[in-house]
Amino acid sequence: MTGHTAPPKAQLAFRIGVVGHRPNRLPKDPVRLGLLRTTLKQILDHAKGAVASTADMAESALYSSLPIILRAVSPLAEGSDRIFAEEALALGFNLCSPLPFPQREFEKDFMPPAALEPDSLSHFRALVAQARESGRLTLFELDGSREHPADSYAAAGRVVLNQSDLLVTVWDGGAPAGAGGTVHTLYEALRYHVPVIWIDALEPQNWQMVSAPAEITKGEDGRFRPVPHQKSLKEVVTNIVQAELRLPAEEKSAPLDYFTRHKPPVNLAFAWRLFRDLVGAGKLSRPALLVVDFENRDDDSWSGAGPSQASSVSKWVHDNLWPHYAWADGLADLYADANRSSFLLSYLLSAAAVFVALLSTAMNRADLETACALLELAILIGILALLRLARQLRWHERWMECRLLAELIRQLRILIPLGGARPLPRMPAHLAVYGDPTQTWMYWHLRAVARACGIPSAEIMPDYVRDYLNFLARIVGDPTIGQWGFHVQSAHRAQLIFSRLRAMTVWLFSLTVLCVGVRFLRHVIPGGADLIPSIWDRWLLFASAALPALGAALEGINNQGEFTRTAHRSRAMAGAFEAYAAQTKCLRESQEAGLASATALSSKIAQTMVDEVTDWRAVFSDRAQ
């Protein structure tokens, strides 16, 4: 596998989805039906022009040089869906079609007596064939049931919503048809803050951009009607496209720094790993100085499978997401090592400075005073240089950024194979001071990756669901591997480091008390000077200063490393993944497991992971040096 020489950029992509009425709730006269077609075409054409114009935006350098991806998301039902798909294909869009049922079953909707337009089945097949022959088709066939049609159509609507950066809704303003219909999906889009352009199905020249339910109002006749917009359709569509593709205002230069990073040949910041292994595992391991190529390293925990366990799901995830994750994760580890090694050395060198300052006095060697003073000065200059280097090279900030990006991509791999979802980072009120993760360049890049990847062409039959659940089970893992194993190990190691550092600190201060007590007795009891020679007095003085300095350094490391909080959080996460492992096992063994149950479980897992990394980011943001 040929790796990248810098973090890979996402291919520039934009997705427009449609939900709308079938022919029975669309205009019957050709003029108004033509207006509907024209309005849909204008939206697609304006979006295409707006995406192309990003070449003039500063953000254009943050996307790959590969061709732009324009994707129309339509279930290809009769009426609005097909008009939209026809115009999209004519404009060069790719077609992504989430079908509520397997294609053979869905086609029954287009046969008499269910069909609402002539030659409906031929029309459907022609659209599929046109997109497939041009290599522009993604067919995502859901496992809907005719016994629960509303749920089946709702599931397809959710996939449309998940895969849309702009949702076009063709609604006549009348009563909703129920769950899974046009109005249901419209309100779901508003709940997830997806931009919506609502076209009046009966008067298609009228449209409205909707961003909140309160903006949908009734006319005097009791029918919901779009409110005329002050801006042109082109301006509205262009603003929506640019808002999706552009960086948050305060993040303009940050990703340029990320995309110009390169893998260093060696990692000299190995002090942290040596210390962690020595204190947390009781072993002194040989430092790995050479940095392995990020994309070629082994990481079975990522795809949930080794080579012998590769499946269609894990292979698709690996091919589409691994390079993005591998670079973010690899750089995060390097920056973490540098940041943690710098604060570790700063604390230990501070204690060493006290040791060196008193050494010549303890040894009663006046001839060493100059050398010790120079050595102490060098240590202090080294500490200041290390702190300045950490700030200049932004090790802490880069660690935070790369780790958040890696963890966001990590949860994306769970959601995309099932049609995607929108587990947004949630920032509790008491953590709002740390900023909204959705307004960072990391979330912007995640969205770019998700847009470019889309979803796989798949038929969601029992074999696919079983394959996915096996993939999910390996990711969740057990007490030794996967996310569960990671958090078990993390909790155990963090607790050991905390306990051992705290014990060493207590012992060092206890020894200090002993040394101070002995010196005190030497000076206050009769004959104390004869019992305790002066040479011991000097070394007791040395220990009385050096031991608490080392104890304070260890306690500082303990506090800076947040080991006890990490242990508590990882223990809670291990418990959550233990429960998820049991739920995944039940689904794998169930004969009834389908897309709905797998999606519900995977969404909970992904949201848990996103919430955990949001909390982690807030905690460690305070640990900048």
Side-chain angles (χ1 to χ4, degrees):
M1 179 182 187
T2 303
H4 298 79
T5 58
K9 300 175 182 178
Q11 201 167 347
L12 179 58
F14 192 80
R15 308 166 296 182
I16 308 178
V18 66
V19 290
H21 294 317
R22 297 192 178 190
N24 59 325
R25 293 181 68 170
L26 294 180
K28 302 299 186 289
D29 61 285
V31 174
R32 287 190 296 159
L33 200 59
L35 279 175
L36 174 59
R37 182 179 291 274
T38 298
T39 305
L40 290 172
K41 179 180 180 180
Q42 287 176 342
I43 292 173
L44 289 162
D45 199 26
H46 294 328
K48 181 178 180 179
V51 176
S53 69
T54 55
D56 300 326
M57 293 165 50
E59 286 82 357
S60 62
L62 305 178
Y63 292 99
S64 79
S65 58
L66 294 171
I68 293 171
I69 299 173
L70 295 169
R71 192 175 290 123
V73 188
S74 168
L76 297 181
E78 296 170 309
S80 308
D81 289 6
R82 293 187 184 177
I83 298 172
F84 179 83
E86 287 171 347
E87 295 303 324
L89 288 172
L91 288 169
F93 279 67
N94 293 349
L95 180 62
C96 175
S97 294
L99 309 183
F101 310 99
Q103 181 177 341
R104 294 181 298 278
E105 181 63 33
F106 190 41
E107 288 180 347
K108 294 178 182 178
D109 284 7
F110 316 132
M111 300 177 185
L116 297 176
E117 65 178 48
D119 298 322
S120 181
L121 180 57
S122 298
H123 189 189
F124 170 81
R125 288 177 174 173
L127 285 171
V128 172
Q130 179 185 351
R132 179 177 285 127
E133 288 168 6
S134 61
R136 292 183 287 151
L137 177 66
T138 298
L139 206 60
F140 197 75
E141 304 172 56
L142 281 69
D143 59 348
S145 166
R146 289 293 182 183
E147 296 178 359
H148 305 284
D151 292 341
S152 302
Y153 291 113
R158 278 192 296 273
V159 177
V160 171
L161 177 59
N162 293 335
Q163 293 302 308
S164 298
D165 307 307
L166 163 62
L167 184 69
V168 178
T169 303
V170 181
W171 176 33
D172 62 8
T182 299
V183 181
H184 174 86
T185 307
L186 164 62
Y187 280 96
E188 279 288 289
L190 298 179
R191 187 162 73 91
Y192 285 108
H193 309 292
V194 178
V196 174
I197 293 181
W198 165 29
I199 301 173
D200 190 333
L202 301 181
E203 299 177 34
Q205 72 276 13
N206 297 330
W207 56 272
Q208 178 187 351
M209 178 183 170
V210 186
S211 56
E215 296 174 1
I216 301 175
T217 58
K218 284 184 178 180
E220 294 180 358
D221 59 357
R223 182 170 73 89
F224 290 97
R225 294 176 179 272
V227 177
H229 210 285
Q230 298 299 316
K231 298 179 180 179
S232 68
L233 184 59
K234 180 178 181 179
E235 187 176 1
V236 168
V237 172
T238 300
N239 288 342
I240 291 172
V241 172
Q242 291 182 349
E244 177 67 23
L245 301 183
R246 279 182 171 169
L247 280 163
E250 65 276 12
E251 298 278 318
K252 291 300 181 183
S253 62
L256 285 172
D257 172 76
Y258 174 73
F259 289 120
T260 56
R261 296 291 97 195
H262 296 281
K263 180 189 74 65
V266 295
N267 178 18
L268 297 178
F270 53 82
W272 162 253
R273 291 182 183 263
L274 288 176
F275 177 84
R276 182 197 66 186
D277 292 343
L278 179 62
V279 179
K283 62 180 182 180
L284 192 59
S285 55
R286 182 178 179 181
L289 298 180
L290 294 180
V291 179
V292 179
D293 183 82
F294 295 145
E295 294 179 51
N296 288 335
R297 62 196 167 101
D298 294 327
D299 191 344
D300 291 349
S301 66
W302 158 255
S303 62
S308 62
Q309 297 174 306
S311 65
S312 59
V313 173
S314 61
K315 186 177 185 306
W316 192 93
V317 167
H318 192 86
D319 291 347
N320 286 274
L321 295 177
W322 168 251
H324 298 286
Y325 172 80
W327 272 88
D329 181 65
L331 288 174
D333 284 346
L334 292 178
Y335 293 136
D337 285 349
N339 180 74
R340 286 164 162 164
S341 293
S342 66
F343 82 68
L344 173 71
L345 292 175
S346 296
Y347 280 115
L348 294 179
L349 286 174
S350 297
V354 176
F355 179 92
V356 171
L358 298 174
L359 184 60
S360 61
T361 301
M363 297 177 66
N364 198 26
R365 292 280 303 275
D367 58 317
L368 291 180
E369 286 185 6
T370 301
C372 286
L374 290 175
L375 182 55
E376 181 187 7
L377 180 62
I379 291 173
L380 294 174
I381 291 174
I383 293 171
L384 293 174
L386 192 59
L387 293 174
R388 182 173 182 180
L389 188 65
R391 289 190 176 94
Q392 283 186 334
L393 298 182
R394 299 178 58 246
W395 287 333
H396 182 267
E397 291 84 354
R398 286 170 173 172
W399 170 34
M400 294 288 100
E401 292 171 349
C402 292
R403 179 48 58 201
L404 178 60
L405 175 59
E407 296 307 311
L408 289 173
I409 296 174
R410 189 197 293 272
Q411 57 84 17
L412 195 63
R413 68 184 166 154
I414 298 175
L415 302 171
I416 282 184
L418 297 182
R422 295 176 180 271
L424 302 177
R426 300 177 293 194
M427 183 61 73
H430 67 286
L431 298 180
V433 68
Y434 297 100
D436 183 358
T438 65
Q439 297 304 307
T440 62
W441 73 262
M442 296 79 78
Y443 191 77
W444 168 86
H445 184 50
L446 170 81
R447 293 282 301 146
V449 171
R451 289 196 305 270
C453 286
I455 53 178
S457 285
E459 186 176 357
I460 313 300
M461 298 301 286
D463 286 347
Y464 183 90
V465 175
R466 192 177 304 110
D467 187 6
Y468 174 81
L469 290 174
N470 290 338
F471 166 75
L472 184 64
R474 291 190 291 268
I475 291 173
V476 172
D478 60 37
T480 61
I481 60 172
Q483 289 295 297
W484 182 5
F486 168 80
H487 285 290
V488 168
Q489 179 187 11
S490 175
H492 178 70
R493 182 171 60 199
Q495 187 60 51
L496 276 179
I497 293 175
F498 170 78
S499 300
R500 289 171 176 173
L501 287 180
R502 176 59 55 84
M504 284 188 278
T505 300
V506 171
W507 274 105
L508 287 169
F509 278 98
S510 298
L511 288 173
T512 302
V513 170
L514 179 62
C515 292
V516 171
V518 172
R519 289 191 68 243
F520 177 77
L521 292 176
R522 180 182 187 274
H523 291 283
V524 299
I525 65 173
D530 296 329
L531 292 173
I532 303 174
S534 60
I535 185 173
W536 284 104
D537 187 56
R538 294 195 303 273
W539 283 106
L540 287 170
L541 176 63
F542 173 83
S544 298
L547 292 179
L550 179 57
L554 294 180
E555 188 62 20
I557 293 168
N558 217 352
N559 179 67
Q560 185 79 11
E562 286 285 359
F563 299 113
T564 183
R565 186 177 294 191
T566 297
H568 291 323
R569 187 174 60 247
S570 289
R571 198 173 294 116
M573 288 295 291
F577 276 102
E578 181 178 7
Y580 289 142
Q583 294 172 45
T584 306
K585 183 175 184 291
C586 287
L587 279 183
R588 293 171 70 195
E589 295 173 351
S590 171
Q591 299 299 318
E592 306 297 325
L595 177 67
S597 54
T599 299
L601 177 58
S602 64
S603 295
K604 286 196 298 182
I605 293 172
Q607 190 66 66
T608 298
M609 294 169 67
V610 171
D611 288 346
E612 191 271 337
V613 75
T614 301
D615 176 74
W616 172 89
R617 174 175 176 262
V619 169
F620 280 93
S621 290
D622 283 337
R623 289 296 172 250
Q625 295 186 71

